[in-house]
Amino acid sequence: MVWRGEGFFLKERRGMAMLGQGTVQRAGWVAALLIAAGVGMLAGKGARAAEAPAPAAVRFDRDVLPVLANACFACHGPDAANRQADLRLDTLEGATAPRDGSPAIVPGNPQASLLLERLRSTDPDVVMPPPGTNKVVTPQQRDSIAAWIAAGAPYEGHWAYRPLVRPVPPAAGLPVDAFIGRELAGSGLAAAGEADRATLARRVSLDLTGIPPEPAEIDAFLADPSPEAFERFVDRLLASPAHAERMAAWWLDLVRYADSVGYHGDQEVTVWPYRDWVIRAFAENMPFDRFTREQLGGDLLPGNTLDQRVAAAYNRLGMMSAEGGAQAEEYLLKYASDRVRDVSGAWLGSTLGCAECHDHKYDPFTMRDFYSMAAYFADIEERGVYDIGQGRDKAWGRMELFTTPPQAGELAALDERVATAKRDLDTDTPSLAAAREAWIERVKQDPWKTLAPLTSAASGGATLALQDDRSVLASGPRPDVGDTTLVFELPPGPFVGLRLEALTHDSLPNKGPGRADNGNFVVSEVTLALRSAAAGKEAKGLADDKPVPLTRALASFEQSVVGDITPSGKWLAAYAIDGRHSGDNVGWAIHEEVGRDQWLIVRADTPIGIPADTLLVVTIEQHHPVGYQVGRFRLAVAAEPTDDPGPGLHPEPVRIACGKPAAERSAEETALLVERFRASAPELSGQREALAAAQRARKDFVDRLPYIPVTVAVEPRPVRILPRGNWMDRSGDVVVPSAPAFLSGAAAAAAAAPPPRPTRLDLAAWMTAPANPLVARVLANRLWAICFGQGLSRRLDDHGAQGEPPSHPELLDWLACELRDGTAQPPGTPWNLRAVLREIVTSRAYRQSSTAPREAIERDPENRLLARQNRLRVEAEMVRDTALSAAGLLVRTVGGPSVRPYQPEGYWDYLNFPQRTWQADQGESLYRRGLYTHWQRQYLHPALMVFDAPSREECTARRPRSNTPLQALVLLNDPEYVEAARALATKSMAEAGPDPLARARFLLRRAVGRIPTEREVAVVAELATAERARFAAEAGAADKLLSIGAHPVPAGLDPIELAAWTTAARAVLNMQETYTRN
Amino acid sequence: MSPFDPRSGPLPAGLDPARRAFLARAAGGLGPLALGSLLGGRGEARAAAPTGEDLARWPGVIRPYHVPPRAKRVIWLYMAGGMTHLDTFDHKPKLAAMNGEPMPESFTKGQQIAQLQGQALKCLGPQHPFHKVGNSGQEISTIFPEISARIADRIAIVKSLHTEAINHDPAHTFMNTGAMVPGRPAAGSWLWYGLGCDAHDLPGFIVMVSTGNYGQRQPIAARQWHSGLLPSRFQGVEFRSKGDAVLYVKPPVGLDGQRAVVDAVTRLDGLHNEVVDDPEIAARLAQYELAFRMQSSVPGLLDLSDETAETFELYGTKGGDGSFASNCLLARRLAERGVRFIQLYHRDWDHHGAVQEHVKGTAAEVDRGAAALVEDLARRGMLDETLVVFGTEFGRTPMAQGNGRDHHMKAFSMWLAGGGIKGGISHGATDDLGYGVVENPVTVHDLHATLLHLLGIDHLRLTIRSQGRDFRLTDVHGHVVKDLLA
């Protein structure tokens, strides 16, 4: 696919010869249009210019396009379907088209331009935008538009879509500072001085690793006299695993990584191996083009590795539903739309999602672009509605067993052990062959005797009807839970157990054999009891009934379990005899195999002698809501302990083969019988046991490993343009994968092109192609935001017309070029994020102080000119990491399954299907970094949520930084923070000696990094002193405080002293500065 | 139009830069002691303006009102799971007559169906008798005896609602935020953002959830009260019936100990502010004060010892049991304290089976509390300024699903009462079988537009800029339902 580099806005340029070449400056890059006429018109604002740093030039993308886009494009923009008065203002051609009266814009002649007349009108019927639209164009904005028209109305192209050409830094030295310095020079503002080193160390540590530095690290940095001390400090940070984790946390927001599916039951899904892949990718500083390629299409790469398939799980991170009654088609559209929103949000910084139902109102994205983007992903095998009954390896469609390399080795060894055991079992001998023939004779004899019940009863009003084949069919009311009891006459002699056949029937849902809506059943418990015939045939348990102890249960099939409803991961036959009765809702079930006959054998080890006139009372209990009774069943008894269900229940080929003399059996039949024999021959029990043990060992191992949803390409589903986004409307065109037409210019070509159809790999290649300017700009802007708290364009989520033009367009483009082409100085490889981050943080701009004279702040309150650094509350995960790190509790293990720190009881009460309760982890898992906290989309951990961590239902490019009372409640009262305070206090008592001032200093230093002032130290020490008195006076209060949190209290500490210092530490861990990156 | 975009830049305290700069000056110039007093600290003289309360309490961006407000607050009784309209507020004698007969294909052909896909469709008549009640003669099912007897003439029943989502999760999200895609602000967040909150020690948007004993328990995602595109401070706060009423509201030690910590934080932040001169510090300390006040106001709110025996009798609860009725009583107490938007979920209306018994059971769980709330508000003179909404996310099919009903988005019923609502009326109508709307259809957007209108807001003008466009509760739709207005 080709990036043509000749987009929407650029085409307009050909028609604007009026824009003289002389206005195009600086390496052919149009940065600022210095418009002579404009300067004249703005001259009257000279006085204001002294107050606010407004450059005296009109820039199309900064001053004109946003105004037109906001005020006009909704009715006079790209969306043809809703365009009013046949007027289009987003192109020169449209704006200058002849109309009745005069054109909207006459280049060079503001007076003749109807646009200005309408903007200026005071007549409510004439003025634009119309009063009802709630939109206003200010007089200043009108002046800018007038100046721009006077200069020829140059539609010079939207800044984000222009070809990316490396700007020349305007001065020597670090290019970042050169670009910023030039803007500052005309503003009257002076750059703030360099921040003190302790502040700088903490700032850059938080920005690059998300964790504040240890005081010792700061001290080492302070003590390093070398001019390269800061660069060395930065390089250590960039090489640390913590940096990879911090970058991963940033990326996970964009790709909406979470540990649950989001819709309805919000069930858990295992995707943490993807999260770990992201961490590894950042740890090895994977080039962004490869990073992109492997996530979008790792599964399509030739000879792909497990690692690459894990990366491609990106395609499976969206929300999924398993809601009963959801329509697959509707949800497939939801998933497709979600992918378009995410890929356009995460990579293109664009709101292509807006074009699902109509052409974009502000940007030249069309509905066709939306569905063409969706078509890239139409090959991904997926279901609209998932079924959590499918088991942990199938619940969410295509899933793959995930192993780390050491685990893969262990699994291979276990596989080998299984293979060896199987070889042992398979080795035939003449004596075995003879035993086999004897077994075949036995198989022909049926050990089972089918019985018809004398009496029967079912709870809940169900009707039981005896059929001609002695089976019993249930019908009528279906109780939520209930028992079925039957009484049989037992033949005298030995008796060992019962065979229950669960049989299909046309009257049952899905033909049964169960009565549940899906044809399944749950046999929670089967009990057998013996009764003297004299006691009566009543179909219910009687006091004198004598239970038959059951020791073995086996079945034709056992259903897999999702989640942790049963410890085994199966609905085992064994649960039917585990002796657990009411309240226990697990049992034997067969969901994957509904619609087929099944059998269950329950028996004792050795036969029991049965006297004459004995009745057998069979009770089949069902405790699993709702209505999971067996719909049709037949019961038989055996005299011998057998695991053989009887000839009738052997598969037909086995029955036929057994019926033939040995010489007449085919090779396949012989093999079949050999196999069946091996499965039951007593002579082979040792080998079978060895094989079973090997298989069990393998299963136990595999059961601890995760299955993750993976991307598998299948025949692409046809993707149609859906009018108004209505999934039931099939009238739209079928589209092929294509990048947005105005960006690529390739849509038409792709539509006409013969196969092969473009793939996700083509999309990845297009996004990171050198000719694609958008992705590099978006990425550069976001890296900048990591280091300054806001982007050069603050709209990190929208680089379109409604976004914000960058404050320093050339700097942004220069950084984007550094990314795309590799750093120029020293020459580097393309897409090296770490190198560009390093370039940003080593700049003077980055290193400057965040405090500035009040006048400077008032002149540029939003710091667009970067004459200072920004002060920011750190992000949610860093809030946690900072407190734990200050306390010395933070565990630095990298990767692995998500963890569960403390969470308030009952927080998950409103989750259902299934209901869940949060079980906090123990030990180290309580103190892992915030990014490893289990991310439940519907109920994100409240301590993360209040600090603005997103639910990750959608792509999030930028988190808000809010300030709420709930945050104060978390920092004051969450056991995690109270415990951290206790650990910090303990540390101060151990390491700072007995002097209260020294302890206070220690607490403050660990919290904020810098050397605290004596006044601050005094406040903390006073608090500890006052609290010591309080705890001494209030019995039990100290112990109560110290009991919070699982971290042990060291022996020998005075509880009152520790409680007092814990309180002091709580104050320190609640200071604004502790969670502020200065 | 809002003076700023709350999501751009670090402006979470909700003040424009000029005002923040003033506060910074005030705080920085006066030193930490005065900062404490600025924030209403103990024993200090209060500065004339602005107070810490002002800092903590969001004033709202709607000023003046767009239209004359008819109500100050909303109490939304949310019947989660899809309350059947056919057995509650929309009487269909024809459906009763056709009970057990095939559903005429003219109704269902080509329509979206949930769990009944591909099954034979048979009519299921109303499962309980209806009666005409009140002076107005409203028709209400007999399973709501209290609503029928006490408040029939106060409520306006809307029988012509329809929605766009046929499954619970998107339908809830649509009902609360005006969009099926997650990420938009809930109605309560919009109102708090738009109008602020009168309570000085409670959040402006409070949610309570009760669970009954009939039918499947609906999952309720926290996104139903999420602030979405709005700053997180406008997120609904859940009042829980077990554990801490508000998450983390309980201090690890007594309130005095907590006070000592907060005072020390105030002093430490004040000292730091002398160096950095950061208005965020004053804003944050104001939030600490509000948090501190919540630690006593929340237990006070839950302490019902000041309620009379007669009130307990009215609601049929002693409170404190997490029941719907108990939550209704708490809702009245929250309304008295100035909370802007109170939402009570009762999450057992998903009656796929046994609709006769289960709908009756669930109705009994909400009937008395809802009627008592309206009556209690009325006798205290608060009903005129409180909009009470009793509604659900969608209706249920006139076709049987066994002995239950399936999800249905083509028609459902709600009622409204109180501030600005014309009582004793019905609005809109469905066809003979209650399948589709045939008269005065009301969309979810219309409901939202009407709700905002009653609170003094033009739904077109309460917007937030995000991802390059202005978002509003009503998306790009919505008309005020004038017929409902008193």
Side-chain angles (χ1 to χ4, degrees):
Chain A
M1 196 175 311
V2 187
W3 175 280
R4 287 222 317 236
E6 186 180 9
F8 160 78
F9 285 113
L10 295 176
K11 286 179 200 147
E12 309 306 332
R13 237 192 209 170
R14 287 196 287 268
M16 56 177 211
M18 301 189 67
L19 175 61
Q21 289 297 312
T23 57
V24 180
Q25 31 183 319
R26 293 182 199 134
W29 195 94
V30 186
L33 279 169
L34 293 168
I35 300 166
V39 172
M41 294 193 66
L42 292 169
K45 301 202 171 50
R48 198 178 64 85
E51 294 162 19
V58 173
R59 223 160 62 193
F60 173 74
D61 53 11
R62 185 188 63 195
D63 304 323
V64 176
L65 180 61
V67 179
L68 294 179
N70 185 36
C72 314
F73 285 3
C75 302
H76 305 295
D79 180 3
N82 292 299
R83 193 175 299 142
Q84 305 294 309
D86 197 25
L87 171 62
R88 180 169 189 180
L89 291 173
D90 62 317
T91 65
L92 182 75
E93 190 184 18
T96 57
R99 306 179 63 79
D100 289 347
S102 48
I105 289 177
V106 181
N109 190 347
Q111 282 73 27
S113 298
L114 194 62
L115 172 69
L116 281 169
E117 191 182 320
R118 298 293 292 270
L119 289 175
R120 285 177 177 145
S121 173
T122 52
D123 180 343
D125 293 334
V126 173
V127 68
M128 282 285 163
T133 58
N134 198 23
K135 288 176 173 164
V136 177
V137 176
T138 67
Q140 290 87 341
Q141 290 169 337
R142 288 203 304 258
D143 290 348
S144 296
I145 292 170
W148 166 73
I149 293 176
Y155 275 83
E156 59 170 7
H158 180 65
W159 59 271
Y161 307 143
R162 279 187 211 128
L164 186 54
V165 178
R166 183 182 286 267
V168 177
L174 292 175
V176 168
D177 291 320
F179 287 116
I180 291 175
R182 189 182 61 203
E183 298 296 319
L184 262 183
S187 74
L189 285 172
E194 177 150 322
D196 67 85
R197 279 193 161 196
T199 299
L200 199 51
R202 194 168 193 268
R203 172 192 299 165
V204 74
S205 295
L206 283 166
D207 286 347
L208 295 182
T209 69
I211 305 176
E214 283 289 315
E217 293 174 272
I218 300 176
D219 288 341
F221 174 50
L222 295 177
D224 184 348
S226 142
E228 285 84 41
F230 184 68
E231 280 77 0
R232 279 212 294 269
F233 190 77
V234 166
D235 287 336
R236 267 201 308 278
L237 295 176
L238 288 173
S240 69
H243 171 64
E245 292 174 314
R246 188 265 181 277
M247 294 303 287
W250 164 75
W251 186 252
L252 296 179
D253 272 7
L254 291 165
V255 296
R256 77 236 180 288
Y257 164 91
D259 296 312
S260 71
V261 298
Y263 280 118
H264 196 61
D266 199 19
Q267 293 88 359
E268 284 181 31
V269 59
T270 306
V271 279
W272 59 261
Y274 167 83
R275 181 245 286 138
D276 286 359
W277 178 86
V278 173
I279 294 172
R280 282 200 302 282
F282 282 113
E284 65 182 65
N285 195 23
M286 182 184 284
F288 189 75
D289 51 351
R290 188 180 142 205
F291 185 67
T292 299
R293 185 163 61 239
E294 299 202 353
Q295 289 180 79
L296 288 174
D299 60 303
L300 299 175
L301 293 168
N304 55 72
T305 62
L306 175 62
D307 230 29
Q308 287 167 327
R309 293 193 297 279
V310 168
Y314 160 74
N315 296 299
R316 303 290 312 280
L317 295 178
M319 304 218 303
M320 294 185 278
S321 181
E323 180 175 348
Q327 300 229 3
E329 279 291 311
E330 183 181 14
Y331 278 79
L332 286 172
L333 172 65
K334 286 182 198 287
Y335 304 158
S337 307
D338 171 52
R339 289 202 180 96
V340 174
R341 288 195 299 274
D342 195 74
V343 79
S344 66
W347 274 273
L348 304 177
S350 298
T351 56
L352 182 50
C354 292
E356 181 173 353
C357 309
H358 53 75
D359 290 348
H360 201 285
K361 295 280 184 193
Y362 306 102
D363 298 321
F365 294 112
T366 62
M367 281 182 78
R368 179 173 291 274
D369 291 331
F370 176 92
Y371 290 96
S372 302
M373 180 64 82
Y376 279 113
F377 302 94
D379 65 330
I380 295 168
E381 186 181 275
E382 65 181 334
R383 300 175 53 179
V385 183
Y386 291 91
D387 176 3
I388 56 173
Q390 294 283 307
R392 68 188 200 103
D393 58 341
K394 294 195 195 73
W396 306 106
R398 280 296 193 136
M399 303 179 81
E400 182 171 345
L401 189 69
F402 173 76
T403 51
T404 61
Q407 287 169 337
E410 204 172 330
L411 186 58
L414 287 165
D415 283 340
E416 181 51 38
R417 185 179 151 196
V418 170
T420 305
K422 194 152 179 14
R423 266 196 308 277
D424 287 351
L425 179 60
D426 288 355
T427 308
D428 212 3
T429 66
S431 68
L432 279 177
R436 187 160 61 235
E437 288 307 317
W439 169 77
I440 289 168
E441 286 310 306
R442 272 205 317 281
V443 165
K444 288 193 250 176
Q445 318 295 323
D446 189 351
W448 297 100
K449 180 173 169 53
T450 303
L451 301 178
L454 299 174
T455 58
S456 62
S459 55
T463 306
L464 299 177
L466 185 63
Q467 311 291 298
D468 291 344
D469 62 358
R470 297 191 165 185
S471 67
V472 176
L473 178 65
S475 60
R478 186 185 69 175
D480 284 0
V481 296
D483 298 347
T484 305
T485 305
L486 307 105
V487 177
F488 300 88
E489 200 172 287
L490 209 53
F495 164 73
V496 75
L498 184 81
R499 181 187 72 191
L500 183 155
E501 291 172 82
L503 302 169
T504 55
H505 192 265
D506 283 344
S507 70
L508 300 169
N510 280 343
K511 297 198 169 194
R515 298 194 74 195
D517 293 345
N518 56 7
N520 197 7
F521 57 76
V522 176
V523 173
S524 305
E525 201 70 21
V526 176
T527 61
L528 306 184
L530 301 176
R531 178 190 293 176
S532 158
K537 296 183 286 190
E538 199 180 353
K540 68 174 207 183
L542 299 179
D544 289 339
D545 289 354
K546 204 170 134 227
V548 177
L550 299 173
T551 52
R552 180 154 174 78
L554 65 160
S556 50
F557 177 77
E558 293 166 329
Q559 178 183 336
S560 305
V561 171
V562 172
D564 49 7
I565 302 170
T566 75
S568 62
K570 292 268 189 188
W571 294 86
L572 294 179
Y575 295 146
I577 59 162
D578 61 2
R580 295 163 66 200
H581 296 273
S582 67
D584 160 40
N585 72 2
V586 303
W588 173 54
I590 53 103
H591 178 263
E592 296 100 309
E593 293 283 322
V594 296
R596 295 179 201 176
D597 295 345
Q598 304 292 343
W599 54 260
L600 169 77
I601 292 173
V602 296
R603 65 168 171 85
D605 281 342
T606 50
I608 303 164
I610 302 293
D613 293 332
T614 301
L615 301 181
L616 175 68
V617 183
V618 177
T619 307
I620 304 165
E621 300 178 16
Q622 192 285 106
H623 314 141
H624 182 85
V626 182
Y628 278 73
Q629 283 85 19
V630 184
R632 179 174 162 239
F633 56 89
R634 182 163 52 196
L635 300 177
V637 293
E640 300 290 323
T642 178
D643 289 347
D644 201 315
L649 298 184
H650 279 295
E652 196 175 4
V654 175
R655 276 184 278 146
I656 292 170
C658 284
K660 293 181 183 175
E664 290 176 22
R665 291 173 206 143
S666 70
E668 290 79 15
E669 285 171 334
T670 303
L672 181 64
L673 292 181
V674 166
E675 185 197 330
R676 300 293 289 200
F677 171 67
R678 281 189 194 118
S680 63
E683 296 85 347
L684 288 168
S685 66
Q687 288 90 328
R688 269 203 311 275
E689 203 41 60
L691 176 60
Q695 286 169 330
R696 243 186 342 262
R698 185 187 188 281
K699 181 176 182 306
D700 287 350
F701 182 70
V702 168
D703 281 351
R704 291 196 304 273
L705 299 175
Y707 282 88
I708 69 164
V710 288
T711 305
V712 173
V714 292
E715 178 64 25
R717 293 174 293 277
V719 175
R720 288 176 186 281
I721 297 177
L722 300 177
R724 301 291 318 162
N726 178 2
W727 63 271
M728 294 177 81
D729 186 334
R730 304 278 172 144
S731 65
D733 290 351
V734 172
V735 295
V736 295
S738 166
F742 83 95
L743 287 172
S744 69
R757 175 188 168 103
T759 68
R760 288 173 272 121
L761 287 175
D762 294 310
L763 175 61
W766 171 79
M767 290 203 292
T768 53
N772 185 328
L774 186 53
V775 172
R777 283 190 178 106
V778 167
L779 186 58
N781 195 42
R782 289 177 181 167
L783 293 182
W784 188 269
I786 285 175
C787 305
F788 283 84
Q790 57 186 25
L792 291 164
S793 165
R794 285 173 299 178
R795 290 272 175 233
L796 300 177
D797 51 2
D798 186 4
H799 280 222
Q802 290 286 85
E804 184 191 62
S807 56
H808 299 72
E810 291 184 279
L811 171 55
L812 179 62
D813 278 12
W814 184 80
L815 289 169
C817 288
E818 293 278 283
L819 273 174
R820 182 191 64 181
D821 307 333
T823 51
Q825 199 53 254
T829 50
W831 297 113
N832 184 339
L833 270 60
R834 199 177 284 177
V836 173
L837 277 173
R838 189 180 191 282
E839 241 167 343
I840 296 172
V841 299
T842 52
S843 69
R844 199 167 51 79
Y846 179 84
R847 295 160 65 159
Q848 66 192 330
S849 172
S850 60
T851 55
R854 187 166 294 148
E855 295 68 36
I857 293 172
E858 285 171 4
R859 289 268 304 278
D860 185 14
E862 297 180 337
N863 198 17
R864 302 309 289 144
L865 289 171
L866 298 165
R868 59 182 187 277
Q869 251 285 5
N870 292 311
R871 285 169 55 80
L872 308 158
R873 197 257 287 147
V874 298
E875 292 180 0
E877 295 92 330
M878 297 186 209
V879 170
R880 174 188 166 84
D881 296 352
T882 295
L884 292 180
S885 158
L889 286 176
L890 189 66
V891 170
R892 304 287 286 267
T893 309
V894 175
S898 296
V899 296
R900 301 182 183 217
Y902 314 119
Q903 182 172 280
E905 189 200 338
Y907 181 64
W908 276 6
D909 274 2
Y910 311 136
L911 288 175
N912 202 353
F913 308 118
Q915 297 200 17
R916 275 149 282 179
T917 45
W918 175 276
Q919 188 66 50
D921 284 332
Q922 295 181 335
E924 293 201 335
S925 295
L926 289 170
Y927 312 108
R928 300 281 304 281
R929 295 193 66 179
L931 96 147
Y932 297 117
T933 297
H934 173 85
W935 213 279
Q936 186 80 23
R937 277 177 163 135
Q938 290 189 5
Y939 282 90
L940 178 60
H941 193 287
L944 287 176
M945 199 167 71
V946 299
F947 286 103
D948 305 310
S951 66
R952 303 228 178 107
E953 292 170 308
E954 291 282 317
C955 170
T956 307
R958 176 162 165 269
R959 298 184 183 185
R961 283 196 175 84
S962 72
N963 184 356
T964 75
L966 302 184
Q967 292 170 357
L969 290 176
V970 166
L971 295 180
L972 285 166
N973 303 338
D974 180 347
E976 196 87 51
Y977 291 88
V978 177
E979 179 184 35
R982 174 164 60 78
L984 176 56
T986 308
K987 205 172 168 64
S988 78
M989 291 171 72
E991 296 178 28
D995 175 19
L997 294 178
R999 284 184 186 172
R1001 205 169 287 123
F1002 181 91
L1003 297 182
L1004 285 160
R1005 182 94 207 276
R1006 286 204 66 82
V1008 300
R1010 66 181 167 83
I1011 307 290
T1013 68
E1014 286 314 299
R1015 287 164 75 197
E1016 290 167 327
V1017 170
V1019 170
V1020 174
E1022 278 167 29
L1023 175 64
T1025 305
E1027 287 298 301
R1028 191 183 304 115
R1030 185 203 307 280
F1031 283 111
E1034 203 177 322
D1039 288 338
K1040 187 177 164 215
L1041 178 62
L1042 301 183
S1043 69
I1044 295 170
H1047 193 66
V1049 180
L1053 286 184
D1054 173 17
I1056 293 187
E1057 188 74 6
L1058 179 56
W1061 282 101
T1062 297
T1063 306
R1066 287 180 64 216
V1068 166
L1069 291 183
N1070 274 276
M1071 297 191 310
Q1072 192 244 16
E1073 189 184 357
T1074 305
Y1075 306 101
T1076 300
R1077 160 259 193 238
N1078 266 315
Chain B
M1 198 164 118
S2 87
F4 61 90
D5 171 0
R7 279 171 69 96
S8 73
L11 281 169
L15 297 167
D16 60 276
R19 185 148 178 242
R20 293 199 326 168
F22 167 80
L23 278 165
R25 235 178 347 264
L30 297 174
L33 203 62
L35 180 70
S37 78
L38 185 67
L39 301 173
R42 285 188 309 176
E44 310 285 355
R46 282 179 168 238
T51 65
E53 234 172 66
D54 285 345
L55 266 174
R57 193 167 68 192
W58 175 258
V61 297
I62 306 287
R63 202 174 302 113
Y65 289 107
H66 301 150
V67 293
R70 306 294 301 273
K72 285 184 175 173
R73 68 189 75 86
V74 177
I75 300 177
W76 188 312
L77 310 177
Y78 195 118
M79 305 297 115
M83 180 181 75
T84 159
H85 51 301
L86 301 162
D87 308 293
T88 56
F89 296 100
D90 195 6
H91 188 205
K92 292 293 153 194
K94 183 76 189 288
L95 185 63
M98 289 182 64
N99 187 38
E101 291 177 28
M103 183 76 184
E105 205 180 78
S106 58
F107 286 86
T108 56
K109 194 163 186 189
Q111 298 291 340
Q112 206 179 340
I113 285 172
Q115 298 188 11
L116 286 174
Q117 290 169 72
Q119 299 185 23
L121 303 176
K122 287 187 179 163
C123 294
L124 181 70
Q127 298 295 296
H128 301 280
F130 278 64
H131 53 182
K132 285 191 182 344
V133 291
N135 297 328
S136 56
Q138 297 256 49
E139 273 196 299
I140 296 177
S141 168
T142 51
I143 60 176
F144 288 113
E146 303 279 336
I147 289 173
S148 300
R150 293 171 182 234
I151 61 169
D153 291 335
R154 295 191 185 278
I155 67 176
I157 301 174
V158 183
K159 299 181 179 173
S160 53
L161 277 147
H162 56 105
T163 182
E164 295 174 11
I166 198 165
N167 302 120
H168 298 292
D169 188 305
H172 286 308
T173 309
F174 187 52
M175 180 55 70
N176 279 303
T177 71
M180 279 194 269
V181 176
R184 307 281 171 82
S189 297
W190 277 115
L191 279 181
W192 189 0
Y193 170 71
L195 299 177
C197 175
D198 294 338
H200 75 285
D201 53 6
L202 287 170
F205 174 14
I206 289 175
V207 176
M208 289 181 273
V209 182
S210 54
T211 302
N213 296 305
Y214 299 88
Q216 289 187 351
R217 297 173 172 192
Q218 268 303 292
I220 305 287
R223 94 164 74 86
Q224 303 307 340
W225 49 88
H226 202 272
S227 55
L229 309 165
L230 290 167
S232 317
R233 64 175 297 171
F234 301 112
Q235 198 162 294
V237 174
E238 194 205 333
F239 268 45
R240 299 149 16 108
S241 57
K242 97 178 184 205
D244 293 344
V246 170
L247 291 175
Y248 306 117
V249 81
K250 192 163 174 231
V253 290
L255 275 183
D256 284 348
Q258 193 81 333
R259 182 76 251 173
V261 172
V262 173
D263 284 349
V265 172
T266 306
R267 291 174 69 194
L268 289 166
D269 280 1
L271 287 170
H272 186 54
N273 195 48
E274 290 179 16
V275 180
V276 297
D277 192 9
D278 183 353
E280 282 301 308
I281 290 181
R284 183 171 183 272
L285 288 177
Q287 300 298 348
Y288 265 72
E289 287 300 318
L290 174 52
F292 183 78
R293 285 197 298 271
M294 279 172 66
Q295 294 180 141
S296 55
S297 67
V298 170
L301 178 92
L302 300 174
D303 175 5
L304 303 179
S305 57
D306 55 346
E307 297 288 345
T308 64
E310 190 262 336
T311 299
F312 290 135
E313 173 59 28
L314 179 67
Y315 285 88
T317 178
K318 286 276 184 196
D321 56 4
S323 66
F324 180 77
S326 170
N327 288 347
C328 283
L329 177 53
L330 288 177
R332 192 215 79 217
R333 293 171 69 86
L334 290 169
E336 286 173 322
R337 285 159 174 76
V339 176
R340 185 69 62 190
F341 193 96
I342 304 152
Q343 199 170 27
L344 270 52
Y345 288 88
H346 189 69
R347 63 187 191 117
D348 288 274
W349 283 96
D350 193 19
H351 297 130
H352 286 280
V355 68
Q356 184 171 44
E357 180 198 350
H358 286 179
V359 158
K360 187 176 181 186
T362 308
E365 288 167 349
V366 301
D367 179 40
R368 186 152 167 191
L373 174 64
V374 171
E375 194 167 308
D376 198 16
L377 289 170
R379 68 185 186 163
R380 287 166 198 265
M382 293 168 65
L383 187 59
D384 287 346
E385 57 187 40
T386 306
L387 174 64
V388 181
V389 179
F390 182 101
T392 182
E393 78 269 26
F394 49 55
R396 302 203 83 91
T397 52
M399 300 86 81
Q401 181 180 22
N403 56 359
R405 300 187 190 276
D406 199 1
H407 305 170
H408 191 59
M409 61 181 190
K410 296 285 176 194
F412 61 104
S413 301
M414 299 177 77
W415 59 254
L416 299 91
I421 290 292
K422 196 187 290 176
I425 62 161
S426 288
H427 179 79
T430 54
D431 56 47
D432 281 348
L433 301 184
Y435 188 93
V437 173
V438 293
E439 185 185 303
N440 291 328
V442 175
T443 65
V444 172
H445 302 300
D446 296 338
L447 177 74
H448 288 153
T450 308
L451 183 148
L452 293 178
H453 178 84
L454 288 166
L455 278 101
I457 300 170
D458 175 357
H459 70 101
L460 301 174
R461 291 166 66 192
L462 177 59
T463 60
I464 179 90
R465 172 58 63 94
S466 178
Q467 293 199 333
R469 78 166 176 101
D470 288 331
F471 285 87
R472 43 179 236 240
L473 177 57
T474 49
D475 197 6
V476 295
H477 311 280
H479 298 282
V480 174
V481 185
K482 295 256 165 59
D483 291 351
L484 294 173
L485 307 183

